[in-house]
Structure formats: C-alpha cells, structure tokens
Amino acid sequence: MRISVLGCGYLGAVHAACMAALGHRVVGVDTDDVKVKELAAGRAPFYEPGLPELLRDSVASGRLTFTTQVRQVHDPDTPDPAQHPTPTPTPDPDPMVHFICVGTPQRQGEYAADTSYVEAALTSLLPHLHPGDLVVGKSTVPVGTAARAADRIHEAAPGAALAWNPEFLREGHAVHDTQSPDRLVYGLPADPAAADRARAMLNEVYASQLAAGTPLVTCDYATSELVKSAANAFLSTKISFINAMAEVCEAAGADVTLLADAMGHDERIGSKFLRPGLGFGGGCLPKDIRAFMARAGELGADQALTFLREVDAINMRRRSRMVDLAREVLGGSFLGRRVAVLGAAFKPDSDDIRDSPALNVAAQIRLQGADVVVTDPAALENARRAWPQLQYAESVQETCESADAVLLLTEWQQYRELDPALLGRTVRSRHILDGRNALDPRRWREAGWTYRALGRPRS
Ligand code: UGA
C-alpha cells in the first residue's frame, strides 16, 4: 500500500516506521522541519526502544520518506502551487491511505481536548485527496470528531472516505504494540459500500497482523472513538483503585503490594495495571480522562463519568503524599536538605516528561526549600528544558552525592538493580523512598537504609 502519516510524534513516527517495515511505501509528514530532517536521516528524534533500527533500515530501503509538505503525499515531486500558479497535471496514482496521528492535548485552563491539530491536519490534506483515498484517524479524539471529519471529506473530496482506527500503543513498547497489537478496531462509514472499501483497504494495510490472528472489531465511528477513551479511563481507574487501597493500607498498617499481588491472582481482576505507587502521568491517561469527562458533559451524560473526577483526584494526591512522606523522613522540613531524585520520565523506557509524576514531586520539594538533583537515563534533556529550576546530574552517584534522602520515582531497570551497600557510601543519610514499589525493602533495610513507600508499613 501507499501510505502517508500526518504527525510524526511518539505515535506517528513509530506507525510510519512499522508500516514501512511491513513493506508499505510510506511518507511521513510533520510541520516541524528539525524533526523531519532527523527522521529523513533515519534517526529517531525521541527515545523509543527498537525505533532507531527500524527507522534506519526503512529509510535506507527507500520505502520510508519524510517531508514537511502535505502536497507531496501523493508525489514527492509536486511543485509548490504558490511558485507554479498553472496547475501541473498530476498522474492518477493508486489510492492511498492517509493516517492522522497528530496530538490532542488538554486545552489550556479546561478539561476538554484541543482537537485543532486534527482539524489542521485534515484541512491541509483535503486539497490533495484523490478519489478512492482513505483517511484514517488514529488520534485520541472526543466522540463526534470522526463524523465531522467525514462530512468535511465528503464535501471537499467526494470519492475519498474516512475510517477511525484508534491506537492502543504504550510508549516504551510502541514498536511491539504496533507490530503485534492486542486488537484492531475499525470505525467504518455508515454506507455499506464505503464501509466495505474502507475495510478492504485497512485489511491490506494490516495484512500481516490479521494473518497472525489479531482480533478485529469493526463498528461505527462513535463506538471506535469511545473504545479508546473507555480503555484509557479503565486503565486509569485500575491504577487509582489500587492507589486508593494504598491509602487505606497506610491507615490500617497493611501492605498494598501484598494486597495487589493477592488480588491479581484472581483472573477476573488480573495483576496488570495494578501496580501501586506514584500513579499515572504522561501525555495520554491524565488528559484523556479529563477530555472524556468534558465530552460526556457536552453530551448530557456527565453523571456517568463523575467517578473519573475521583480517579483523577486519587492520582494527583499520590504526588503530594510522596512529598509529605519525604518531608516526614527528613524530620519535618526540607530547608537546607539535599534530595536525590531517580527518574524524570513519566515511566521507564521513555524520554517523555509530559505530566511526569517524578518531575512534579521534584519541583514541589524544590519549592519547599530543598536542593533537588534529578537524574534519568533518557529524559534529562527534555526535563532540563521544561524544569530549568531543578538541578540535574548524569549519573546516579553524582545525583546521590551527600543526599539526605533518595527518591526512586521512575522505575528504570538500572534503578531497580542498584546496590544499596554501594550507594550507601555516597549519600549523607541512608533514606530511600520507593515511589514505584520497585525495590526489595529487606535488602535495603539490611544495608542500613530507612526504606519507605506509599501504602506499606514503616518497617
Ligand atoms: C497509555 C495506554 O496504556 C495505551 O494503551 C494508550 O495507547 C496510550 O496511553 C495512549 O493513549 O496513547 P502510555 O501513556 O504510554 O499508554 O503509558 P502506560 O504504560 O499506560 O502508563 C501510564 C502511567 O501509568 C505511567 O505513569 C505509569 O507509571 C503508570 N502506571 C502504570 C502505574 O502507576 N501503575 C500501573 O500498574 C501501570
């Protein structure tokens, strides 16, 4: 298939590279020319395991190209109409599939999602659509966005169609999740002939995933949009549920990690996304539950989702509770204390710091008077740019030098494997706060550390 991917961020760049690796001919489009230059040179502009190799090989094979110009999606030689006013006849190429993979961040000062990037991507694409082309939305959008987009396509590019195909990939596992998804969801047009055509084109795009037995759910636009919002709302709820249990465990002197372990053995509950700790962050779950509440409110179904307010509140409370615990361990005040923070990314195996719980905690502690030094294996550059008031160090040793407390806030594998005896020689006081329940308390206590974690007994 000939494919274009509009938006080459965490979602689009991986999607483009994976589609090219499957043998499709792919052009990635992004308005950021620095990013496009990097990608065109076969280099990943962000940290994602497996992506550099995939990009390098696909770009070298010639199947994957990048441009800042949407007009070049069909033909890389299409001239700029501003410089060539007489229309140049374009050949009649094979129908293409155009994936929209741009972001839908939270609107400033509101819960609702900002869908302007989706609208802008579509606006830029419309004049270049050919009859038979299929536009495929992958961005997470408020329900109703697809129906509006389909109307716009119908008006401006008759003969082209729209499908909605939500993406469920996790950062840090994005290549695996794209190549071997849990399921595929196609939101198809109401017209049966258009739906058949769209389904056939998507089946060709995902031929290898389907051949491998990936379950496929086909539905209407609204259901496909809601599947994504509902899935992220469920995952957020599961995390906040176990974190609410951590609060109760703390009050009762119980251990939430053992509670989660015991609950997870029930197959109906399952242990995934039941890891208690500092809670969820990132560019998806927090803003998606808020956007979902806002959209339900617009539809008059706000009561159905009021529980998500509590999910959000439990999650945000984790961060302040972590700060309180650190202050308590330091004897009631941060003034004049040195605090080492391990982890800046919102989760391991990512350099994404959007709504990072780790950086939020680090910044709160700094505001309360401590000297805070942060380290991270991949996200330091992004963290420095967003939070210049914090101090940063490359190595764990340097970060923990003379620290009064060490906070593990993002559970990178190398932090899980730290040697407590060795690190004990670097710090001023052996206080470790395990924000992700990633360490073995016994091992740290045996090496002379005070070990504290949310929802676990003091000793
Ligand atoms: C999430 C969803 O998991 C994906 O399915 C979805 O496609 C994506 O959002 C999206 O909407 O694009 P992602 O944001 O990459 O993926 O990260 P997750 O792996 O879901 O983790 C989110 C946060 O929850 C992290 O801060 C993580 O540390 C935290 N978490 C996760 C917990 O605190 N406990 C858990 O048990 C699991």
Side-chain angles (χ1 to χ4, degrees):
M1 292 294 281
R2 294 173 60 245
I3 289 175
S4 79
V5 176
L6 277 71
C8 294
Y10 287 99
L11 162 59
V14 174
H15 189 68
C18 289
M19 292 300 108
L22 288 174
H24 301 302
R25 267 196 296 147
V26 184
V27 52
V29 187
D30 199 287
T31 49
D32 179 343
D33 58 339
V34 177
K35 196 188 281 175
V36 164
K37 277 197 190 105
E38 280 294 288
L39 288 164
R43 288 188 295 265
F46 51 85
Y47 182 89
E48 183 61 51
L51 180 61
E53 299 81 350
L54 213 58
L55 266 177
R56 195 189 49 223
D57 295 352
S58 298
V59 167
S61 74
R63 282 196 309 275
L64 178 60
T65 56
F66 291 93
T67 176
T68 53
Q69 304 299 318
V70 181
R71 68 170 188 276
Q72 294 180 335
V73 289
H74 266 288
D75 176 1
D77 300 324
T78 307
D80 183 352
Q83 284 159 28
H84 301 267
T86 23
T88 22
T90 36
D92 189 21
D94 295 334
M96 279 189 75
V97 177
H98 307 278
F99 285 99
I100 296 187
C101 294
V102 294
T104 50
Q106 187 174 344
R107 269 192 228 153
Q108 194 73 39
E110 287 180 49
Y111 267 16
D114 175 0
T115 55
S116 62
Y117 299 103
V118 174
E119 303 299 338
L122 188 61
T123 304
S124 68
L125 183 62
L126 285 176
H128 308 289
L129 287 178
H130 290 222
D133 279 5
L134 181 68
V135 179
V136 182
K138 280 194 105 45
S139 308
T140 303
V141 291
V143 58
T145 307
R148 269 202 319 279
D151 287 345
R152 292 187 64 197
I153 293 170
H154 187 69
E155 260 173 45
L162 176 85
W164 213 264
N165 169 222
E167 180 55 61
F168 303 100
L169 66 77
R170 299 157 300 166
E171 286 176 27
H173 304 270
V175 171
H176 167 271
D177 290 352
T178 308
Q179 289 176 336
S180 314
D182 291 337
R183 75 295 211 185
L184 288 163
V185 176
Y186 301 170
L188 298 173
D191 172 62
D196 282 349
R197 242 186 81 71
R199 185 191 292 109
M201 286 176 87
L202 282 170
N203 283 350
E204 210 172 323
V205 169
Y206 294 121
S208 69
Q209 284 93 336
L210 292 169
T214 305
L216 167 64
V217 178
T218 56
C219 52
D220 53 278
Y221 292 146
T223 305
S224 68
E225 292 165 307
L226 282 173
V227 169
K228 177 60 188 276
S229 305
N232 277 0
F234 188 83
L235 293 171
S236 307
T237 304
K238 210 172 168 193
I239 298 170
S240 276
F241 178 87
I242 199 63
N243 285 331
M245 294 307 111
E247 292 185 11
V248 180
C249 283
E250 227 166 277
D255 187 328
V256 71
T257 59
L258 301 177
L259 177 103
D261 183 29
M263 281 180 67
H265 286 297
D266 184 333
E267 275 181 16
R268 294 168 304 169
I269 297 173
S271 59
K272 288 183 182 160
F273 270 68
L274 207 59
R275 288 195 320 274
L278 195 48
F280 58 85
C284 302
L285 300 190
K287 65 101 180 159
D288 284 351
I289 57 170
R290 294 173 195 149
F292 199 19
M293 282 187 270
R295 186 63 185 133
E298 287 167 6
L299 294 168
D302 43 338
Q303 275 195 336
L305 297 188
T306 44
F307 75 95
L308 287 179
R309 272 185 195 283
E310 206 48 51
V311 166
D312 200 5
I314 294 165
N315 191 51
M316 297 314 284
R317 226 163 36 229
R318 298 283 79 199
R319 303 175 185 190
S320 37
R321 181 69 197 112
M322 193 71 212
V323 176
D324 293 344
L325 193 61
R327 196 190 310 98
E328 186 191 314
V329 163
L330 291 175
S333 170
F334 285 118
L335 285 178
R337 299 311 190 103
R338 194 176 160 85
V339 173
V341 169
L342 307 183
F346 85 102
K347 65 186 239 183
D349 297 318
S350 171
D351 65 355
D352 193 347
I353 54 142
R354 286 176 296 171
D355 202 354
S356 161
L359 284 174
N360 185 301
V361 167
Q364 285 192 54
I365 293 179
R366 157 110 196 351
L367 269 179
Q368 294 185 30
D371 249 1
V372 181
V373 191
V374 181
T375 191
D376 190 281
L380 274 192
E381 206 181 304
N382 287 343
R384 261 197 201 103
R385 220 175 299 128
W387 298 88
Q389 64 277 41
L390 295 168
Q391 295 175 55
Y392 295 95
E394 296 287 334
S395 71
V396 171
Q397 289 296 325
E398 211 184 325
T399 306
C400 295
E401 190 72 52
S402 306
D404 295 297
V406 178
L407 275 58
L408 193 169
L409 302 185
T410 312
E411 70 280 29
W412 286 89
Q413 191 57 33
Q414 51 264 62
Y415 302 158
R416 290 173 176 276
E417 291 167 359
L418 281 172
D419 179 346
L422 205 63
L423 197 65
R425 291 187 215 133
T426 307
V427 296
R428 187 180 301 146
S429 312
R430 295 185 175 199
H431 295 306
I432 181 91
L433 280 85
D434 182 1
R436 295 292 179 180
N437 288 306
L439 305 173
D440 176 358
R442 217 184 47 198
R443 208 169 145 237
W444 285 77
R445 285 181 179 136
E446 277 171 7
W449 290 74
T450 317
Y451 173 96
R452 295 297 301 275
L454 300 171
R456 295 178 91 171
R458 285 167 172 270
S459 54

